[in-house]
Amino acid sequence: MSQMNEKIPFEEMKQQIDYEHIASTEEFKKLLSNKKKFIVPFTLFYMAYSLLLPFLALYTDLLNQPVVGDITFAWIYGISFIPVSLLVCSIYVKKAAYFDEKAKEILEKEGL
Amino acid sequence: MGINVIILFAVMTLGTLFITYYASKKTKTAGSFYTAGGGLTARQNGLALAGDFMSASTFLGLIGAFSLTGYDGFFLMYPALVSFLVILFLVAEPLRNLGKYTLGDMVTARYKFKQVRAVTAINTIVISIFYMLGQLVAAGALFKLLLGIPFNVSVIIVGIGMLAFVLFGGMTATSWVQIIKAILLVGGTFILFVMVMWQFNFNFIGIFTDMKTATPFGADFLNPGVKYTSGWDAASLTLGLLLGTAGLPHVLVRFLTVPNAQVARKSVVWVMWIMGAFHVMVIFLGFGAAKLVGTDNIIEANPAGNMAAPLLSQLVGGDLMFAFISAVSFATILAVVAGIVVTGATAFSHDLFNEIIKDGKATEKQQMNMVRLASIIITIISITLSLSLQQFNVAFLASLAFTLAASSNLPVILFTIYWRKFNKTGAIFGMLVGLFGTLLLVAFSPNVWNPIPGAALITGEPIFPLASPGIISIPLGFFACYIGTLVGARKKQIVEDNFSEIVVKSNTGSDVKGVVQH
């Protein structure tokens, strides 16, 4: 069982940056927990939204009611993935810019 | 085959060769071969990613699926779009912040053991070959139909064409071919879309009414259940596609071709908008094909519906449009398989050869030779396998690659970034169980077993009832990681825990100087 040879620059960097310290700061912990509060519910939402369709569509008649002309709820649901995904994507991008800002603040505070 | 087709194919081939020539001048180092030097912009990478995704099986397959199975086409389509949310939320940024050239780099950033790297690399190669088989077999069948070239010859032509890009231009050429092809494909689809909707007077609501009488399914065409009867089977397929993208090596490696996490994020935004627009058009093109070309003609040309789009283009746009769509489909297959070969060969050369055999001390020249050799070997293996598989319906191979990726790569990727207690044993065990578990389930599934003689590899009742094993194999992969971790935790720690480093780097990434420099 051989350990990988770490290259020298990596070794140097490790001495410069105290990751344990950064990870233990209140700001960093807060950043992680904020990220988690954002990512987990959204991930659960789009996963559930995706996995619900096969069951609703194939085991119930709920989606077979027409909405406009001959377009049924099933088609609305199917097509809705496009706007819904794009919406979730833009929400993420906005939120991520905020997280970037926070991460930068933490690193600046540590003098990096 | 008309003169138009030949001219367009020639233009396409010359164009891609020119790109390859230009890229080959830039591809001097192994780094530029592996990941195009990490210098792509968000728009370039977004287009290249969209290109990776809009493979022949997506473009031809989805239009075919909507034209032949109506509503059930959705089960193949929407998970692809949502899968980029999985990548965006969970994988893209940490991967960019931790990885350098391969997935192996990212996983070994945490577990500095050669075994972990070796298993990751082998996993990458296996998944890549499965994905490529589906593409090559589709390519062979397609050119047989489009150009009347025999299957074997088509597969070999595609193989050689692809190898030319890869050998000379590496990831740079592959990315550029992918970008140009994505523009041509989206552009061509848009022109076709306008032409088709013209025939329906741009009546997007009325076209649904037309569909009720257009196919042998009658009004049922608009309802779910034409192809899939089991919600579990459809959900299993959906889950595999949804999570598989985030584990597919040739998709993941795309996030290493950009300079930082912000660009990686923006490239996902690009790919999602492109695919969203593409998906809207695909639905109506499927309808158009069903109504204008007719179900019987589509099935007669190819039972899987792969010819729906080319036939439709011929009908509404004449021979020139047909030639254009065929040529773009050809470029699509070439570009997609080239991307997969680069990924597999990089795993071989960078992970197995340089980092494991040579302890990271191989010279640039040795690595370049090795990656080219690996490209040739992977191409030969894939061509040989696809030639011997041609008489079987292998449409499931690509979706199998997705499920393999979701069951073996994704659990390890997620736990590496997000779970402090995860360890080396968990990573190795999880990957192997995910890989072999999926393969075993497929070996016992209706894809391989069929009571009707000749319909599948083996005649008999399938032991495992679902065609897509995802709903079992994906949780199995996660569970195996967990069990492996428990087993590994009982052994003495050999290296110090560096999860803090991983978590800081993956969350702050490129702002830390020197972390991810190419």
Side-chain angles (χ1 to χ4, degrees), chain B residues 442-491:
Chain B
V442 169
F444 292 124
S445 77
N447 295 308
V448 177
W449 296 73
N450 194 316
I452 305 158
L457 281 174
I458 302 170
T459 307
E461 283 294 330
I463 300 163
F464 179 69
L466 300 177
S468 345
I471 216 157
I472 304 290
S473 68
I474 298 168
L476 181 72
F478 279 97
F479 186 66
C481 285
Y482 178 72
I483 294 294
T485 302
L486 291 188
V487 173
R490 294 165 60 193
K491 284 191 263 175

Side-chain angles (χ1 to χ4, degrees), chain B residues 306-328:
Chain B
N306 285 334
M307 285 300 281
L311 288 174
L312 182 66
S313 64
Q314 191 166 30
L315 196 80
V316 298
D319 282 346
L320 189 67
M321 195 64 196
F322 175 73
F324 179 70
I325 293 292
S326 309
V328 171

Side-chain angles (χ1 to χ4, degrees), chain A residues 1 3-4 6 10 17 19-20 32 35 46 50 58-59 70 74-75 81 92-93 96 100 107 112, chain B residues 71 74 78 85 88 93 112 209 212 222 228 231 262 265 287 424 495 500-501 505 507 511-513:
Chain A
M1 207 174 277
Q3 223 171 312
M4 300 255 304
E6 283 174 17
F10 187 74
I17 303 171
Y19 290 108
E20 290 292 344
L32 282 193
K35 268 196 168 177
Y46 60 71
S50 307
L58 296 170
Y59 290 142
D70 285 301
W75 287 90
F81 279 103
Y92 178 86
V93 171
D100 279 353
L107 292 178
L112 293 164
Chain B
Y71 188 85
F74 270 124
Y78 75 81
L85 288 177
L88 183 65
E93 295 176 40
K112 297 176 171 48
T209 312
K212 282 183 129 173
L222 291 180
Y228 301 101
Q262 284 74 26
R265 182 191 309 153
F287 281 0
K424 182 194 92 176
V495 281
S500 298
E501 180 187 338
K505 271 195 202 168
N507 282 288
D511 290 327
V512 181
K513 293 179 199 85

Side-chain angles (χ1 to χ4, degrees), chain B residues 365-444:
Chain B
K365 199 165 183 296
Q366 283 175 320
Q367 287 194 59
M368 287 297 275
N369 288 338
M370 194 48 75
V371 76
R372 287 187 169 135
L373 180 69
S375 306
I376 296 171
I377 294 171
I378 291 174
T379 308
I380 291 173
I381 294 176
S382 309
I383 289 182
T384 318
L385 285 174
S386 9
L387 291 181
S388 58
L389 281 172
Q390 60 168 303
Q391 58 270 49
F392 301 105
N393 180 1
V394 288
F396 75 96
L397 281 175
S399 70
L400 172 62
F402 275 87
T403 312
L404 278 175
S407 317
S408 64
N409 275 346
L410 189 67
V412 174
I413 294 170
L414 292 182
F415 283 149
T416 300
I417 315 168
Y418 297 108
W419 190 23
R420 183 175 284 273
K421 292 202 177 105
F422 194 45
N423 58 31
K424 182 194 92 176
T425 321
I428 294 176
F429 192 63
M431 260 190 206
L432 293 177
V433 170
L435 185 70
F436 291 106
T438 310
L439 290 176
L440 266 180
L441 286 176
V442 169
F444 292 124

